[in-house]
Amino acid sequence: MSNSTTSSAATQNSNPPSDTRELKKGSLAAFKGLAPFLKPYRKQFVMAAIALTVAAGATLAIPAAFKQMIDMGFGASAGVRSVEHVNTVFLVLFAVSAVLALATGARFYTVSWLGERVTADIRSAVYRHVVQQSPAFFETTQTGEVLSRITTDTTLIQAVVGSSISMALRNMLLFLGGLVMLFVTSPKLSSIIIGLLVLTVLPIVLFGRRVRKLSRDSQDRIADASAMAGEILNAMPTVQAYTHEHIETSRFASSVENAFGTAMRRIRARALLTMLAIVLVFGAIVFVLWLGAHAVLEGSMTGGDLGQFILYASIVAGSIGALSEVMGEAQRAAGATERLLELMSVQSEIQPPAQPLPLPPRAANGAALTLADVTFSYPSRPETEALSHLSFDIRPGETVAIVGPSGAGKTTLFQLFLRFYDPQQGTIRLDGVDIRQLGLHTLREAIGIVPQDTVIFSADAMENIRYGRPDASDEEVIQAAKLAAAHEFIERLPNGYKAFLGERGVRLSGGQRQRIAIARALLKNPPLLLLDEATSALDAESERLVQSALEAAMVGRTTVIIAHRLATVQRADRILVMEDGKVVEMGTHQSLVAMGGIYANLAALQFHNVHVVH
C-alpha cells in the first residue's frame, strides 16, 4: 500500500522554497561558499599566482622597451649607435616574449588543473550529500533538476575556477600596473583618463546586475527543461500507451523555448554591456590620446612617451574590457554556485545520533521489534494521523502479516522501521534499542526489504542480486537466486548471470524483476525481513515457487509481510489488521475468520468458500 499522503510528505527544509532563491541577488559573495573546495589546493594557487605575476610583469615591460626603441633609435637623440639600440631592444623584446610564453603556459596548465580538480570535488560532494537525504527530499525534488545542478552548474563553476579567476587576476594586475605606468609616463593625461573612466564604470556596474539576474533565470529554465525530460523519459511506456508523444514533445519544446528566450535576454543584455563598456572606455581613451598627440606637436612629450602611453592605455583598456567579460561569466557562475550551495545546505530531518549505540549480540534467530504508543503524521499533513497510538511486539523469528485497506498505514510502518521518518510520539525498538539511538547504517543493515515497486539497476543479473551484499561470491549470488526461484529464468537469458537487464530492468517481466529483488534481499540475509506485496507481480506458478522459497527464507529470521492477497499470509504466525492507522484486529487466519470482522470480510471476498461468522 502507498499511503495517500506519501507523495507530498516532504518537510519544509528538505527542498529550498523557490522564493529562497530570490533572496540572494546581491553580489559575487556566493563564491565564498566554494572556499572549502579551494583550500586543499593552496599550493597550486600559489604556483598559478607566481606564473600570473611573471606573465603580467613581462607584458607590462613591452611598452617600456618600445619607448626606448622609438626615442633612442628614431628620435631626436638617436645617433650613430641607433642601429645597436634597435638591435638590443629587439633582443630584449624576444627575451621578454619567451618569459611571457613560459609563464602563460604554466599559468594555463595550473589553473586548468585546478578547474578540473575542484569541479570533480564539488560534483562528488553534491552527489554524496544528495544520496544521504531522506525520502522526503526526493518526493519533492525532481531528479532532472538535481542532475542539472551536478552537471551544468558545476561546468560553469569549472569555467570560473579554471579560467575566469585567472583571467580576472591577470587583467587586474595589468590594469593596476598599466595605470601606474600611465602616471609615470604622463601624470596629466593619466589624471584626465582616470576621471573619465570613473564616469564610465557606474553604468557598467548597474547594467551588470541585470545580467546576473538574467543569468540565474537562464540556469533555472535549463534545469526545468532537464527535469521535465527526465520525468517523461522514465515514463515512456505510459506516455506511448496513452499516445501522448506529441503532447509531451510540445510540452518539452515549450520548456526549451522558454529556456531559449531567457538565454537570449541574457545574451542581449551581455552584448549591450560589452558594447557599452567598449564605447565608453575607448571613447575616453581616444579623447586622451588626442590630447597627447597635441602635446607631442607642442614638444612637451617625446614620441616614445606617447607611444608608451598609447600601449599602456591599450593594456588598461583591454584589461577593463576583459574584466567586464569575465564579470559576465562570473555572474553566471555565481548563480550556479548559489543553486549548488542551496542543494548542499539542505539537511535531512533524519539525523544519526551523535553517539550511536550498537545492537546487542543476537541471542535468538531473527530480531525483536517493539512499537510503543507510536503516533505519526506526515509533515505535509500534520493534522492527519497516518498512525495513531500503535503498540505491539514482534518476537524474534516470528512471521507477522499486516493487512488492511489502502490508506490504513501499512507502508508507513515500513518507512518508520527503516527510519525514513521519525514518529512524533512513541518509540520503535529493535532488539530493545530505540532505533533513533542506532546509526542509520547499523539499523538498515539489519533490515532487508522487498518493495512493491521493484528497482533494477542498469547492470547484469549477477550485480543486481549482489547489490544486497557487495562482498558476496558468485556462488552465494546463485544460491540466493535459486531460493528466490530466479535461477532458471536467469540461466535462460543470453549470457546468463552476465546478461544486461536494461535500464530499470526493461528486459524482464514484472515477476522476474520481483524475483531478482527477493534474491537480493535473501543474499543480504538480514535478521529482519520486510516484504511489501512481494508476490504482487507474480503469476500463479511463479507465486507458488516464490512463496515456498520465502517460507524457507523466513526460517531463522523475523519477517513482516504487507499483503492484499490473503493467500500469501495465511501461514503467518500472526496477522495484524489495520484501519485508519490503528490495529483493529490481531490473530491467526483461522481466529480472525472466526471473529467475523474486517479480516473475515476481506477473506470472504477473496475466498468464496470461507464462512464468515457474525
Side-chain angles (χ1 to χ4, degrees):
M1 107 87 205
S2 182
N3 192 293
S4 60
T5 59
T6 303
S7 61
S8 59
T11 61
Q12 286 299 317
N13 70 336
S14 39
N15 191 32
S18 58
D19 59 348
T20 302
R21 297 179 180 180
E22 303 304 322
L23 298 177
K24 305 178 188 174
K25 294 292 184 184
S27 64
L28 302 180
F31 287 125
K32 291 181 180 178
L34 298 180
F37 299 100
L38 304 179
K39 283 181 180 177
Y41 307 110
R42 285 184 289 249
K43 179 180 177 182
Q44 286 80 0
F45 275 106
V46 169
M47 292 170 60
I50 293 172
L52 192 66
T53 304
V54 172
T59 302
L60 291 171
I62 291 175
F66 270 97
K67 167 184 165 52
Q68 296 297 320
M69 179 186 69
I70 292 171
D71 286 345
M72 302 185 70
F74 308 112
S77 61
V80 293
R81 299 186 61 188
S82 60
V83 174
E84 294 180 11
H85 285 304
V86 170
N87 291 340
T88 301
V89 168
F90 272 98
L91 285 174
V92 171
L93 277 175
F94 178 77
V96 170
S97 300
V99 172
L100 176 62
L102 289 172
T104 303
R107 174 189 63 84
F108 174 79
Y109 175 83
T110 307
V111 298
S112 296
W113 183 91
L114 281 167
E116 295 288 347
R117 181 67 266 167
V118 170
T119 303
D121 292 348
I122 292 173
R123 283 180 178 146
S124 296
V126 171
Y127 188 79
R128 182 169 58 250
H129 183 75
V130 167
V131 298
Q132 292 173 350
Q133 298 305 307
S134 68
F137 171 84
F138 299 99
E139 288 167 4
T140 57
T141 304
Q142 291 179 301
T143 305
E145 182 175 350
V146 174
L147 293 177
S148 172
R149 296 190 187 195
I150 292 176
T151 54
T152 307
D153 291 352
T154 52
T155 300
L156 290 174
I157 293 173
Q158 176 183 344
V160 169
V161 176
S163 174
S164 297
I165 291 178
S166 169
M167 293 296 294
L169 292 175
R170 174 178 178 272
N171 285 286
M172 185 62 70
L173 287 174
L174 291 177
F175 173 76
L176 295 175
L179 207 57
V180 170
M181 293 307 297
L182 283 177
F183 275 98
V184 170
T185 306
S186 174
K188 177 183 176 182
L189 293 180
S190 299
S191 299
I192 296 173
I193 199 171
I194 291 303
L196 292 173
L197 287 177
V198 168
L199 294 177
T200 66
V201 167
L202 185 60
I204 292 174
V205 170
L206 293 176
F207 203 79
R209 291 182 178 178
R210 172 170 170 77
V211 174
R212 181 176 182 274
K213 181 181 183 300
L214 290 172
S215 298
R216 177 61 187 266
D217 291 343
S218 178
Q219 287 303 109
D220 287 342
R221 299 295 77 77
I222 292 172
D224 292 342
S226 298
M228 180 184 294
E231 181 181 23
I232 297 307
L233 291 175
N234 283 330
M236 280 313 298
T238 302
V239 172
Q240 293 175 351
Y242 282 87
T243 64
H244 277 205
E245 294 93 335
H246 293 299
I247 294 175
E248 297 302 344
T249 299
S250 298
R251 284 182 62 214
F252 182 72
S254 176
S255 181
V256 169
E257 286 302 315
N258 190 14
F260 173 75
T262 306
M264 288 309 300
R265 288 194 293 274
R266 171 180 58 80
I267 291 169
R268 281 194 294 270
R270 283 196 62 187
L272 286 172
L273 177 62
T274 303
M275 181 178 69
L276 182 67
I278 291 174
V279 169
L280 292 177
V281 171
F282 278 90
I285 290 174
V286 168
F287 173 71
V288 172
L289 292 182
W290 176 75
L291 295 176
H294 279 274
V296 173
L297 293 175
E298 293 168 0
S300 57
M301 284 184 75
T302 67
D305 286 335
L306 181 60
Q308 177 174 291
F309 190 87
I310 291 173
L311 288 176
Y312 280 126
S314 299
I315 288 174
V316 170
S319 63
I320 292 175
L323 282 171
S324 68
E325 184 74 17
V326 169
M327 185 62 69
E329 290 293 332
Q331 287 169 340
R332 196 173 174 207
T337 302
E338 285 179 357
R339 286 157 50 88
L340 282 169
L341 293 178
E342 283 174 1
L343 196 58
M344 292 288 287
S345 67
V346 175
Q347 293 297 323
S348 172
E349 282 198 344
I350 306 301
Q351 293 292 331
Q355 295 182 330
L357 299 177
L359 281 171
R362 199 160 303 286
N365 292 328
L369 197 60
T370 303
L371 277 76
D373 195 32
V374 170
T375 298
F376 172 72
S377 300
Y378 284 102
S380 59
R381 297 184 62 184
E383 72 286 353
T384 303
E385 292 183 346
L387 298 175
S388 179
H389 301 287
L390 211 58
S391 297
F392 58 82
D393 293 330
I394 299 177
R395 297 182 297 275
E398 188 178 17
T399 297
V400 174
I402 302 175
V403 301
S406 295
K410 302 186 297 296
T411 297
T412 300
L413 263 181
F414 277 20
Q415 292 177 325
L416 295 184
F417 291 163
L418 288 160
R419 210 179 162 219
F420 290 160
Y421 300 97
D422 281 336
Q424 285 82 25
Q425 179 181 326
T427 58
I428 302 173
R429 297 182 181 276
L430 181 68
D431 287 335
V433 182
D434 188 337
I435 62 173
R436 283 174 289 200
Q437 299 302 314
L438 294 172
L440 291 176
H441 283 192
T442 300
L443 169 66
R444 293 168 185 171
E445 283 171 358
I447 301 174
I449 184 167
V450 179
Q452 184 175 3
D453 187 13
T454 304
V455 174
I456 300 296
F457 298 98
S458 297
D460 59 38
M462 181 73 73
E463 291 309 311
N464 261 285
I465 297 174
R466 187 178 274 126
Y467 199 84
R469 184 155 54 88
D471 60 350
S473 66
D474 289 355
E475 292 73 19
E476 290 173 317
V477 170
I478 293 171
Q479 182 60 32
K482 289 178 178 178
L483 280 173
H487 177 69
E488 290 187 6
F489 84 77
I490 293 176
E491 285 284 273
R492 291 196 298 268
L493 294 173
N495 301 321
Y497 279 87
K498 294 300 180 183
F500 177 67
L501 303 183
E503 186 176 4
R504 294 178 291 115
V506 294
R507 297 184 178 183
L508 301 178
S509 68
Q512 289 171 334
R513 289 197 294 271
Q514 199 82 40
R515 281 179 274 173
I516 291 284
I518 293 170
R520 184 187 296 157
L522 294 178
L523 180 65
K524 187 177 182 180
N525 194 27
L528 175 60
L529 182 63
L530 307 180
L531 306 176
D532 188 356
E533 296 286 354
T535 60
S536 62
L538 305 182
D539 54 46
E541 177 61 20
S542 295
E543 182 178 0
R544 183 186 63 80
L545 293 171
V546 172
Q547 191 63 43
S548 62
L550 287 175
E551 288 175 2
M554 291 174 192
V555 176
R557 63 170 52 87
T558 304
T559 307
V560 184
I561 306 170
I562 290 176
H564 284 110
R565 294 162 67 171
L566 302 185
T568 62
V569 303
Q570 291 184 66
R571 299 181 185 177
D573 298 319
R574 271 189 302 161
I575 299 172
L576 307 182
V577 183
M578 293 189 66
E579 187 175 45
D580 297 329
K582 301 176 182 177
V583 174
V584 294
E585 297 176 5
M586 184 184 304
T588 64
H589 172 74
Q590 290 78 11
S591 66
L592 290 174
V593 168
M595 190 182 300
I598 294 175
Y599 183 86
N601 289 329
L602 292 173
L605 292 174
Q606 296 188 27
F607 309 114
H608 299 296
N609 60 340
V610 172
H611 175 66
V612 180
V613 179
H614 295 285

